[in-house]
């Protein structure tokens, strides 16, 4: 008797916004796991009924909808993806202590680096001279701490690309925009991070998930215009 | 080999209380060290150089920081007793979502109630009540956020309950009036020895807040 294994097709939808660093993380995770998914671009000025239904609390992207059930908040989504599709490309370490460390650094990146990038973005495009220099300096300090944590490892995850790597890479696409906009480069101060980011970009999951730099820069210029800044 | 567990803590910290509850739920023996937050110990600075904050769990000499990360660590290492997170990945994602919601809302809003005045305080009060109502909605008719069993979201929220009296006094309002089910849930949690032994007396928190308000000249 032949028993045919019937595979239930997984339905995976990602409600996203192309410049969102948080959306980029989820795209990377899905691709690392080799998952097919439908990406739906949200208009954040006119949110879809589906988004409002799936994320009524925060009404934000990204939202992963897996077989009709929503998961929100990028860190939570990535861990969910890692736990459900655990047999391929593990993103979090198997050891509880290493896992706690990975969560710690991802949390640091999302809170401190995001906060600084946001403020930096504000400072860089609204200020000149000394204040701008001070903004850049603060930002470099946060990145240097991360560079120290990376050390001589190829990835934050060690030999393998993992949770912390995919959390930080999306910020690098935005960092690149600020570097062009303000003519500052972190290459001198954080050469290891630059090498690391190039290594990550060689991965298909990363290169296909991050937007084109020119396109992102164009978006940044649009944002400046909307905010009435030269 | 006996596990060496140390917790760097501060008596009134809702975040420290979460770790205490988790450790007791798992039946673990540990050494608690009270930090002086105005004069942080060399050990704290060494174990949490990035944030220099408590709580820090030190397990066999290795530090784990940030209370949700510590609680998950405890749950994963001592997984055979009193599981705090659900086994199902989707339910686990939901538990993490609500714990994250609590972390982003309750502390800041509660803090504004006792540190600000006038309109700021009123706005914080309103928003806090809206958040607590949402949480009450999520609890629904279940005995705990975790369902039949006390879990991660319960641990994350119950530690704020000893601060409620201080918030209510400063803001002149009653949480019970608007969220009776939530208050019933806090009483249910307090029947657990892990919770009652980990939370300080709300009157003590209230007196501490009064002292701080005097010190900083807040009406």
């Amino acid at each position: 008797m032949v028993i045919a294994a019937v595979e239930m097709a997984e339905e995976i939808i990602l409600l996203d916004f192309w410049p969102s660093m948080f959306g980029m993380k989820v795209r990377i995770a899905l691709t690392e796991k080799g998952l097919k998914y439908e990406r739906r671009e949200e208009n954040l000025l006119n949110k879809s009924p589906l988004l409002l239904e799936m994320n009524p609390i925060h009404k934000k992207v990204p939202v992963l909808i897996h077989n009709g059930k929503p998961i929100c908040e990028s860190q939570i989504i990535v861990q969910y993806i890692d736990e459900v599709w655990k047999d391929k490309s593990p993103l979090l370490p198997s050891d509880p202590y290493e896992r706690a460390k990975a969560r710690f650094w991802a949390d640091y990146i999302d809170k401190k680096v995001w906060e600084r990038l946001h403020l930096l973005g504000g400072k860089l495009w609204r200020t000149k001279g000394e204040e701008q220099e001070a903004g850049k300096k603060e930002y470099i300090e946060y990145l240097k701490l991360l560079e120290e944590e990376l050390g001589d490892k190829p990835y934050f995850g060690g030999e393998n690309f993992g949770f912390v790597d995919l959390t930080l890479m999306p910020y690098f696409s935005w960092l690149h925009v600020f570097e062009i906009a303000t003519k500052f480069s972190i290459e001198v101060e954080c050469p290891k991070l630059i090498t690391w980011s190039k290594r990550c970009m060689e991965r298909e999951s990363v290169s296909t998930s991050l937007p084109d730099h020119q396109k992102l820069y164009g978006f940044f210029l649009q944002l400046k215009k909307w905010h009435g800044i030269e | 080999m006996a596990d060496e567990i140390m917790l760097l803590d501060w008596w009134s910290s809702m975040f420290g209380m979460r770790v205490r509850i988790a450790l007791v739920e798992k039946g673990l023996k540990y050494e608690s060290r009270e930090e002086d937050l105005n004069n942080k110990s060399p050990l704290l600075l060494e174990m949490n150089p990035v944030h220099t904050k408590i709580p820090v769990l030190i397990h066999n000499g290795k530090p784990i920081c940030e209370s949700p990360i510590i609680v998950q660590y405890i749950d994963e290492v001592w997984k055979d007793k009193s599981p705090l997170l659900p086994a199902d990945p989707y339910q686990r994602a939901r538990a993490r979502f609500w714990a994250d919601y609590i972390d982003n809302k309750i502390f800041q809003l509660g803090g504004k109630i006792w540190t600000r005045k006038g309109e700021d305080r009123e706005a914080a009060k309103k928003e806090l009540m809206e958040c607590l109502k949402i949480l009450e909605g999520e609890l629904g008719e279940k005995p705990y956020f975790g369902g039949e069993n006390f879990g991660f979201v319960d641990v994350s929220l119950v530690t704020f309950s000893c601060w409620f009296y201080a918030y209510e006094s400063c803001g002149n309002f009653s949480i019970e009036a608007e969220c009776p089910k939530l208050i019933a849930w806090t009483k249910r949690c307090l029947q657990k020895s892990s919770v009652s032994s980990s939370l300080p007396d709300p009157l003590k928190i209230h007196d501490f807040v009064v002292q701080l308000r005097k010190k900083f000249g807040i009406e």
Side-chain angles (χ1 to χ4, degrees), chain A residues 11 34 38 62 71-72 82 84 86 91 95 102 104 118-120 142 151 162 175 179 188 192 225:
Chain A
E11 193 200 58
E38 181 195 336
I71 302 101
C72 309
D82 200 41
V84 173
K86 56 186 186 288
L91 298 169
D95 171 70
F104 174 86
H118 217 216
L119 281 173
L120 189 78
Y142 280 93
L175 179 62
E179 286 187 321
V188 169
K192 282 186 178 166
K225 224 188 247 175

Side-chain angles (χ1 to χ4, degrees), chain B residues 174-206:
Chain B
S174 160
I175 294 173
E176 183 150 21
E178 306 221 36
C179 297
K181 281 187 176 160
L182 203 63
I183 298 299
W185 162 83
T186 67
K187 291 179 178 162
R188 187 176 303 122
C189 292
L190 278 161
Q191 285 170 4
K192 293 175 75 65
S193 63
S194 60
V195 178
S196 59
S197 63
S198 301
L199 266 54
D201 185 334
L203 289 174
K204 199 175 168 199
I205 301 274
H206 173 262

Side-chain angles (χ1 to χ4, degrees), chain B residues 105-132 167 171 173:
Chain B
K105 300 281 188 187
I106 312 297
F107 183 70
Q108 287 90 321
L109 293 172
K112 281 186 184 169
I113 293 173
W114 69 267
T115 59
R116 308 274 175 92
K117 321 180 213 189
E119 264 176 45
D120 270 354
R121 182 200 294 164
E122 289 308 303
K125 232 167 84 178
K126 203 169 164 246
E127 217 190 316
L128 179 70
M129 285 320 301
E130 275 164 23
C131 292
L132 292 179
Y167 296 157
F173 68 117

Side-chain angles (χ1 to χ4, degrees), chain A residues 150-156 158-161 165 169 191-207:
Chain A
L150 176 66
D152 291 314
K153 307 193 296 288
Y155 298 106
F156 282 91
E159 288 306 308
N160 300 308
F161 180 82
D165 304 283
M169 263 318 284
K192 282 186 178 166
L193 276 185
I194 296 297
T195 309
W196 163 84
S197 68
K198 289 180 179 158
R199 184 178 299 122
C200 289
M201 281 301 285
E202 284 168 14
R203 297 181 78 79
E204 190 195 332
S205 62
V206 178
S207 60

Side-chain angles (χ1 to χ4, degrees), chain B residues 23 28 35 42 60 81 138 166-167 171 173 208 211:
Chain B
L23 290 166
L28 296 165
E35 281 288 328
N60 295 334
K81 180 174 178 170
E138 173 56 23
Y167 296 157
F173 68 117
F208 172 61
Q211 254 181 46

